Amino acid sequence: MSVAFFDLDRTLISQNSALLWIQQQWKAGVLKRTSSIKTLGWFVRYNLGWGNSAAPLVQAMEGFAGVSHGEILEKTKKFYEEEVRRFYRPGALKELEEQQREGRECILLTSSTQYLGERVAADLGLDDCLANVLEVDAHGKLTGRIEGIVCYGHGKLLKAEAKLAQLNIALSECSFYTDSYADLPVMEAIGNPVAVNADLRLRRWAKKHGHPIVDWGR
């Protein structure tokens, strides 16, 4: 048995879910202008493959401090149905169906939160979701901190390795589909790295090393 790992933003979907979230919250008057601009700046760098640090992501998650677990569940459910679900790439759904038909474990590996990731995994019939788990205190409120490993960059690789250790499967037997150069630690370690609608730096890396470069459409 092998595992096919899938990134979410700009891989399974053609948009960045964090940007969609910011836009929705901005329109609703929830986000302040200053914090929105700072967060948007980091995601622009991330989309261009320039984001090499998880620090801005950790800082962005601090904005959830004080929000109740139940409230974020409901907000994410609404957000997914209204803003995310319509952006699945046709090629992504086709590839996922093929991997499932061939009996492979299909796992979401995303820098998004577990709230969105678990909803995506349930909707697509994925076997698991590896994402950023937001800490909840004894009163059911988010602390603004991420539990354990930050699922970004090298942290994504650590998350994948831990999961594969449970399944007794080697990285060399697995595949990973992503658009972003920020996921290079996983791409370099995995047996079958596939660049999907890749940013410029990842496209150059994949071409240099002879790895597949695919277009899954919009």
Side-chain angles (χ1 to χ4, degrees), residues 39 42-43 53-65 111 113 132-135 143-152:
T39 308
W42 180 76
F43 283 114
S53 170
L57 174 62
V58 173
Q59 293 171 3
M61 296 302 176
E62 292 174 358
F64 290 108
S111 293
T113 70
N132 281 305
V133 178
L134 301 190
E135 184 181 75
T143 65
R145 295 188 293 270
I146 295 173
E147 283 188 6
I149 297 169
V150 178
C151 197
Y152 178 84

Side-chain angles (χ1 to χ4, degrees), residues 69-86:
H69 172 72
E71 180 183 348
I72 200 66
L73 276 175
E74 288 303 313
K75 281 187 174 182
T76 304
K77 179 180 178 181
K78 185 173 185 291
F79 169 67
Y80 175 73
E81 293 297 335
E82 294 181 356
E83 303 290 345
V84 177
R85 201 167 188 265
R86 59 197 172 101

